[in-house]
Amino acid sequence: MASTGGKTYIVEHLDEELGPWSELEYIAIATECQDVGSKFLLSSLPPAFKVPGPLSAIPAFTAETRGVEEIYAQDKFRVCLLDPAAAKDLAPEDGDNFDVFLFGGILGDDPPRDRTSELRKKGFEGRRLGPKQMTTDTAARVTRLVVEGKTTLMYPANHISAPLQDVPYVDFPELKFNEHESTQMPFRYVKAEDGLPIMPRGMVDLIKKDADKAIDDLF
Ligand code: SAM
């Protein structure tokens, strides 16, 4: 049986800056790690980087200027890269094989540009989370469900590991803002008990704001 708890989730910062979407995603990862007793590390941050207050206030969160290669130079074998191009899918047993799970700090793009390759090149062992692109917080949520069997959002804390295909998903959901406005998200999400995609708090409002801005910019 996969071990329960104490895992470390690392997002290696790969974008130029930490935009508002990433900030909400990282707050969601940190909050969920905090709830289940795991750790969340945001690595490879530029030295002058100012971590947003709400993120640094979460005890499970650590900001790190070193890259993951340097942090785990001596024990690379402990680190599993979540890689959309990996040959093997993540399985509950990987919770016994690895105690660090690494994600690319990249906003989702459509079509995907395979920027995870920047981490793949460093030689970490990779696992796929199925064939569809997930947002980074979804990828962390699904990984935790599979290897630790827990999330405070949808399963009781002592739930035993859920294999990848048992996780309920919503693919490419349409977000309806009002009668006339909607947008389709080109990602896979975990489905909550109410049937809606699990998204970071504040994300729907941010998406709506960005959509409104895009329309305003047309005029
Ligand atoms: N478009 C992307 C790229 O350029 O690689 C994927 C970015 S995705 C939004 C951010 C991170 O989530 C990836 O670097 C990877 O670690 C993880 N991820 C997302 N979907 C995944 C999948 N289906 N399998 C494995 N990892 C995934």
Side-chain angles (χ1 to χ4, degrees), residues 14 25 81-85 102-117 119-120 127-137 139-140 187:
L14 296 171
E25 291 189 1
L81 169 65
L82 282 303
D83 180 357
L102 171 64
F103 305 83
I106 313 154
L107 273 184
D109 41 18
D110 185 30
R113 282 181 298 153
D114 190 24
R115 289 193 48 212
T116 310
S117 59
L119 294 171
R120 188 182 312 135
R127 293 286 186 271
R128 195 182 72 146
L129 295 166
K132 301 220 161 70
Q133 182 178 196
M134 298 172 178
T135 59
T136 311
D137 63 298
F187 309 115

